[in-house]
Amino acid sequence: MAKKRDRQAVSIRRKSQNVSSDKLEIVGDSSSDRRLIVIFVVFFVISPAISALLYYRYTNSGGFSGASVYERGLVKTDIHHQEILAEHSNVAENTSRHYDYPVLAYITPWNSRGYDIAKRFNSKFTHLSPVWYDLKSHGSRLVLEGRHNADQGWISELRLAGDALVLPRVVVEALPTDLLRKKKLQDKAIDLIVSECKEMGYDGVVLESWSRWAAYGILNDPDLRNSALQFIKQLGNALHSELDSWRSSKQPWRSSKQPLQLVYVIGPPHSEKLENQDFGPEDMQSLSGAVDGFSLMTYDYSSPHSPGPNAPMNWIRSALRLVLGTKDNSLLPLEAGKIFLGINFYGYDYRLSGGGGAITGNDYQSVLRKYKPLVQWEEISAEHFILYTDNNQNKHAVFYPSLKSISTRLEAARSLGTGISIWEIGQGLDYFFDLL
């Protein structure tokens, strides 16, 4: 699109130069000839320039045909930074789901845009997980913090907009050596979580604990690891014993009441073999009856200490094979259907001299506008990236998702029969949701 405008501008300049030379040659001719010259300039120079300006304003004001990103030919490796800036806010009028498997979307309180995105594209999601709760130790007792984050008005709007389940995330920050050794504390933790779901009308929870337990080193102890798995199973069974009160009362057309759900967060292996603290196939088989889904965090492969792509495709496939215990992605077990394969809607801006941090869609747009970098495709990782030099002469590499990189991951997840989980929807560009 930008190239088309560039060619048109060159054509206009050439015509303008030709008209100017013609005018010099015919100075002193009749008034009728001068009128012809004026008409020529108006129709062949000024009009095309105005048309180009109107086209630019049109494509940036959201006034477009309503076609999808596929129909507009935007899902490709060869993209221009101006194309991203001109098209990212243009979303197809058809908001029905295109991805056949479950879609879990995370929303964070510190990025309020995600709340609006969840309402706007509600039909694209099967599960919505606002990041609201923490289970903490307060002396010898447990407390579930985070109700102040809960927005009941927003939940009510979601219920009116569609059928996506609302499962707030609960992070277990309680001291694991106490929690996993004391049955009374485990029972208390389960009661706190289940009671909160019932009181607040949630459809279940997304539980995150494995990475924190791994950081404490307790998963190397077979007894504590078994206790950890038993705690997760007991929580899942307790949730399943409770029926979804909101859906049974507000959706009487459903043939049966639905139990509350448990989705469990697991980190990806970062090496070619499973380490002791990694979540593996035996752990998954142990939990399969009590857990409704596993949110696999296949992102953050690189870091400021080792800059590079956020989630290389070969690493994603390797992580899935290791977690499921298979050597061939074409022979995945039934548990694959319970996986929510992680897709990042954020990126990283690395300073090549060291350092860097996460970058959201708004930040990415600012970089594109200011530095006008070349957008390049890296075939092995299947990600786009840009290079630029800032005002302080620091060189940067930015890896941020694109329509092509997301589409590639969706195609891979579909072929593997897995769902997807998105971290997090407030950080992406609007036209990403055309793909879902």
Side-chain angles (χ1 to χ4, degrees):
M1 182 175 297
K3 292 179 179 178
K4 181 178 179 181
R5 286 198 297 272
D6 291 342
R7 288 195 297 270
Q8 188 176 42
V10 170
S11 176
I12 291 170
R13 286 196 296 272
R14 287 173 178 169
K15 289 176 181 177
S16 179
Q17 292 168 356
N18 292 337
V19 170
S20 299
S21 61
D22 290 343
K23 288 176 68 175
L24 287 174
E25 292 174 4
I26 60 176
V27 168
D29 286 356
S30 67
S31 60
S32 60
D33 290 339
R34 287 196 293 270
R35 283 197 297 271
L36 288 174
I37 293 171
V38 171
I39 293 172
F40 184 89
V41 171
V42 168
F43 277 94
F44 291 95
V45 179
I46 298 177
S47 293
I50 293 174
S51 298
L53 177 61
L54 289 175
Y55 174 76
Y56 180 82
R57 293 182 63 183
Y58 179 77
T59 55
N60 283 274
S61 64
F64 75 114
S65 65
S68 73
V69 291
Y70 288 108
E71 293 168 326
R72 279 144 53 205
L74 300 178
V75 185
K76 56 188 179 180
T77 57
D78 181 18
I79 57 176
H80 191 276
H81 77 273
Q82 187 57 53
E83 183 177 79
I84 299 172
L85 294 173
E87 295 284 356
H88 72 87
S89 62
N90 295 333
V91 181
E93 292 177 354
N94 181 3
T95 58
S96 59
R97 286 187 66 208
H98 306 301
Y99 190 71
D100 305 324
Y101 297 95
V103 177
L104 166 65
Y106 288 99
I107 303 101
T108 57
W110 53 87
N111 191 348
S112 60
R113 183 173 177 271
Y115 290 100
D116 295 329
I117 291 292
K119 291 187 293 183
R120 182 181 177 190
F121 299 105
N122 186 289
S123 60
K124 300 284 189 178
F125 314 118
T126 57
H127 301 68
L128 292 167
S129 184
V131 178
W132 284 346
Y133 289 94
D134 299 293
L135 182 69
K136 294 184 176 182
S137 300
H138 276 209
S140 60
R141 63 190 184 91
L142 293 176
V143 294
L144 184 63
E145 296 183 352
R147 183 179 284 197
H148 64 280
N149 291 319
D151 187 336
Q152 290 285 43
W154 174 71
I155 293 176
S156 296
E157 292 182 73
L158 289 176
R159 304 298 196 194
L160 293 173
D163 293 332
L165 303 177
V166 178
L167 288 76
R169 191 189 71 170
V170 177
V171 175
V172 179
E173 294 187 353
L175 191 64
T177 50
D178 287 344
L179 176 65
L180 300 179
R181 284 195 172 103
K182 298 177 181 178
K183 184 65 166 59
K184 287 185 178 180
L185 281 181
Q186 294 177 32
D187 292 341
K188 179 62 177 177
I190 292 169
D191 180 65
L192 285 171
I193 293 171
V194 174
S195 296
E196 189 71 4
C197 287
K198 293 166 64 178
E199 291 177 25
M200 300 296 286
Y202 302 142
D203 301 305
V205 296
V206 173
L207 187 74
E208 181 172 345
S209 63
W210 197 266
S211 60
R212 294 174 184 272
W213 291 343
Y216 273 91
I218 64 166
L219 297 174
N220 295 321
D221 183 317
D223 292 334
L224 286 177
R225 191 187 190 105
N226 182 64
S227 180
L229 293 170
Q230 290 300 318
F231 169 70
I232 299 166
K233 283 195 283 188
Q234 289 172 19
L235 174 59
N237 291 333
L239 288 167
H240 292 165
S241 68
E242 300 290 342
L243 298 179
D244 191 329
S245 59
W246 178 83
R247 293 189 179 271
S248 60
S249 63
K250 302 296 184 182
Q251 296 181 327
W253 59 86
R254 286 180 178 262
S255 58
S256 62
K257 297 179 180 179
Q258 302 295 312
L260 301 182
Q261 294 191 9
L262 174 62
V263 173
Y264 191 62
V265 178
I266 55 176
H270 283 273
S271 60
E272 296 180 357
K273 295 182 179 180
L274 287 175
E275 303 292 338
N276 288 337
Q277 73 275 8
D278 288 331
F279 188 93
E282 292 182 0
D283 302 310
M284 180 168 289
Q285 290 171 8
S286 174
L287 298 178
S288 62
V291 173
D292 300 283
F294 296 91
S295 180
L296 179 58
M297 299 187 292
T298 40
Y299 33 75
D300 287 347
Y301 173 82
S302 301
S303 70
H305 301 292
S306 181
N310 202 309
M313 277 305 305
N314 56 349
W315 171 69
I316 292 175
R317 294 190 180 96
S318 173
L320 188 61
R321 285 197 300 268
L322 289 172
V323 167
L324 294 174
T326 179
K327 295 181 179 180
D328 187 346
N329 279 336
S330 65
L331 299 173
L332 293 178
L334 293 177
E335 285 83 356
K338 286 192 172 184
I339 295 288
F340 292 93
L341 196 67
I343 296 180
N344 56 291
F345 271 20
Y346 65 93
Y348 273 97
D349 184 342
Y350 300 108
R351 286 194 304 276
L352 298 186
S353 59
I359 184 171
T360 66
N362 288 336
D363 301 326
Y364 187 58
Q365 293 174 57
S366 297
V367 170
L368 295 181
R369 287 192 192 94
K370 185 172 184 179
Y371 298 104
K372 301 176 176 54
L374 176 68
V375 183
Q376 304 179 63
W377 176 254
E378 205 287 298
E379 188 67 36
I380 297 176
S381 65
E383 293 189 23
H384 278 104
F385 71 97
I386 61 173
L387 302 173
Y388 74 93
T389 303
D390 65 25
N391 294 335
N392 296 319
Q393 299 307 304
N394 295 309
K395 294 182 178 180
H396 293 246
V398 177
F399 287 82
Y400 184 82
S402 64
L403 291 170
K404 182 61 178 178
S405 71
I406 296 172
S407 175
T408 301
R409 282 147 183 79
L410 288 174
E411 290 170 5
R414 182 181 284 109
S415 69
L416 299 170
T418 72
I420 61 166
S421 56
I422 303 168
W423 186 276
E424 51 92 4
I425 55 175
Q427 297 177 333
L429 300 176
D430 286 359
Y431 68 174
F432 288 173
F433 298 96
D434 268 8
L435 301 171
L436 301 180

